[in-house]
């Protein structure tokens, strides 16, 4: 991989000079890129190369993961014997109008950052040959889709689109995430990456799973208490200072 540093807005009053850090794929397996805290960047559809951005990424170390009482409670909401998990052909999926509309409608309703249009979804579906689409069905009813990157020893749980009209009290999104983590544990993979973890609203991805680690900019950190402090600070902080100027989390 090749690391690229892009200068961003300076805040001279606090001596904070920001740089966004990216990685560019050079035909590798992505294992090293993910292990260094990077996630796929697809915000600019005009980019022909594969870029990744450095962030507070979250992953589950599967050697340390086992189902706890909360995970079992989540999975018990649906009869696992009635779950059907399929890996779909990307090209066929991308050309199924009903499937694409299902994902776009979900994104319009639930994605906080706003509407994901057809062009961006199509760009994501063509972003890497490592992309996989998993289809969840329950008693022949569509439960949802999970789009993710499958590396040699990891899976990135990237996007989930689920049935908002599913007639059940089950937490469908949480069910699919828990199911997939446990599924890749059974496949003897090393990690499942769960995207970014900023603000307290994202802590649901961290607090319920054994083996949680977050990338703190220097290393993978297993301290949930520290992650909660950082997420709480995300909610409360409006200044432009970096962490070194605010608090030493290592003390």
């Amino acid at each position: 991989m090749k690391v690229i540093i892009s200068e961003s807005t300076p805040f001279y009053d606090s001596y904070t000079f920001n740089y966004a850090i990216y990685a560019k794929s050079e035909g590798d397996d992505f294992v090293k890129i993910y292990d260094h805290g990077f996630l796929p960047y697809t915000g600019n559809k005009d980019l022909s190369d594969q870029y990744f951005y450095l962030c507070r990424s979250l992953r589950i170390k599967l050697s340390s993961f086992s189902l706890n009482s909360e995970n079992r409670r989540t999975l018990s909401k649906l009869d696992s014997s009635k779950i059907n998990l399929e890996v779909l052909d990307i090209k066929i999926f991308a050309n199924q109008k009903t499937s694409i509309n299902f994902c776009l409608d979900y994104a319009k309703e639930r994605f906080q950052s706003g509407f994901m249009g057809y062009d961006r979804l199509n760009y994501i579906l063509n972003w890497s040959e490592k992309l996989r689409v998993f289809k969840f069905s329950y008693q022949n009813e569509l439960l949802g889709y999970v789009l993710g990157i499958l590396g040699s020893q990891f899976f990135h749980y990237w996007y989930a689109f689920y049935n908002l009209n599913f007639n059940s009290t089950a937490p469908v999104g949480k069910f699919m995430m828990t199911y997939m983590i446990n599924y890749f544990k059974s496949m003897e993979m090393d990690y499942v990456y769960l995207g970014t973890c900023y603000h307290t609203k994202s802590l649901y991805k961290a607090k319920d799973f054994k083996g949680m680690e977050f990338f703190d900019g220097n290393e993978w950190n297993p301290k949930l208490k520290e992650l909660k402090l950082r997420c709480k600070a995300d909610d409360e902080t409006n200044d432009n200072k970096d962490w070194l100027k605010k608090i030493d989390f290592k003390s």
Side-chain angles (χ1 to χ4, degrees):
M1 71 177 186
K2 180 180 180 181
V3 174
I4 299 169
I5 299 176
S6 177
E7 188 172 6
S8 186
T9 307
F11 298 95
Y12 218 104
D13 57 339
S14 62
Y15 277 76
T16 304
F17 306 99
N18 295 324
Y19 291 86
I21 304 174
Y22 297 92
K24 182 180 177 182
S25 172
E26 294 184 315
D28 44 34
D29 181 56
F30 293 177
V31 170
K32 183 177 180 181
I33 293 175
Y34 275 88
D35 194 49
H36 281 72
F38 292 91
L39 291 174
Y41 174 67
T42 60
N44 183 351
K45 300 187 297 294
D46 294 328
L47 293 175
S48 57
D49 294 320
Q50 294 167 329
Y51 286 88
F52 298 74
Y53 62 97
L54 187 65
C55 59
R56 190 190 300 159
S57 178
L58 190 73
R59 73 183 184 185
I60 307 301
K61 185 178 181 180
L62 294 177
S63 62
S64 302
F65 172 78
S66 61
L67 292 174
N68 58 28
S69 58
E70 178 60 26
N71 303 151
R72 292 191 181 93
R73 186 161 40 249
T74 297
L75 294 178
S76 70
K77 296 294 183 179
L78 294 173
D79 184 347
S80 60
S81 67
K82 298 176 182 178
I83 290 289
N84 184 39
L85 183 64
E86 301 173 75
V87 183
L88 304 182
D89 183 279
I90 294 288
K91 292 181 179 179
I92 293 176
F93 175 81
N95 286 292
Q96 289 178 336
K97 187 175 181 180
T98 54
S99 299
I100 296 301
N101 286 340
F102 178 95
C103 295
L104 294 177
D105 289 343
Y106 176 86
K108 185 176 181 179
E109 180 73 22
R110 289 297 182 91
F111 283 8
Q112 185 179 13
S113 58
F115 179 66
M116 175 187 282
Y118 171 80
D119 288 345
R120 185 172 183 218
L121 180 57
N122 186 61
Y123 177 72
I124 290 169
L125 290 173
N126 290 279
W127 191 76
S128 171
E129 73 281 356
K130 295 178 177 62
L131 185 76
R132 300 291 185 271
V133 177
F134 292 84
K135 179 183 178 181
F136 277 83
S137 301
Y138 186 72
Q139 293 182 311
N140 297 319
E141 182 179 1
L142 176 61
L143 200 59
Y145 299 101
V146 172
L147 276 60
I149 299 292
L150 184 62
S152 59
Q153 287 299 317
F154 75 89
F155 179 71
H156 173 201
Y157 189 100
W158 195 0
Y159 287 101
F161 309 89
Y162 57 86
N163 189 347
L164 296 173
N165 298 314
F166 185 67
N167 187 22
S168 172
T169 58
V172 177
K174 191 174 182 181
F175 176 91
M176 293 198 304
M177 180 177 287
T178 305
Y179 190 99
M180 291 296 278
I181 292 171
N182 197 45
Y183 171 79
F184 283 108
K185 167 77 173 184
S186 71
M187 299 292 287
E188 299 184 343
M189 301 291 269
D190 290 338
Y191 300 100
V192 171
Y193 290 83
L194 299 178
T196 61
C197 191
Y198 292 93
H199 301 280
T200 53
K201 69 181 186 303
S202 296
L203 285 171
Y204 75 93
K205 295 189 286 187
K207 62 184 180 180
D208 292 336
F209 300 116
K210 293 180 181 178
M212 181 282 302
E213 301 176 326
F214 72 96
F215 194 77
D216 64 11
N218 296 293
E219 61 187 356
W220 288 99
N221 189 329
K223 298 176 183 176
L224 179 59
K225 182 178 179 181
E226 181 175 327
L227 178 60
K228 288 180 176 180
L229 285 173
R230 289 178 182 247
C231 288
K232 186 173 184 290
D234 295 337
D235 294 342
E236 299 173 349
T237 303
N238 293 317
D239 62 44
N240 298 297
K241 295 179 181 178
D242 59 81
W243 287 110
L244 184 66
K245 298 182 178 74
K246 299 181 202 179
I247 183 170
D248 182 2
F249 281 109
K250 300 298 182 184
S251 62

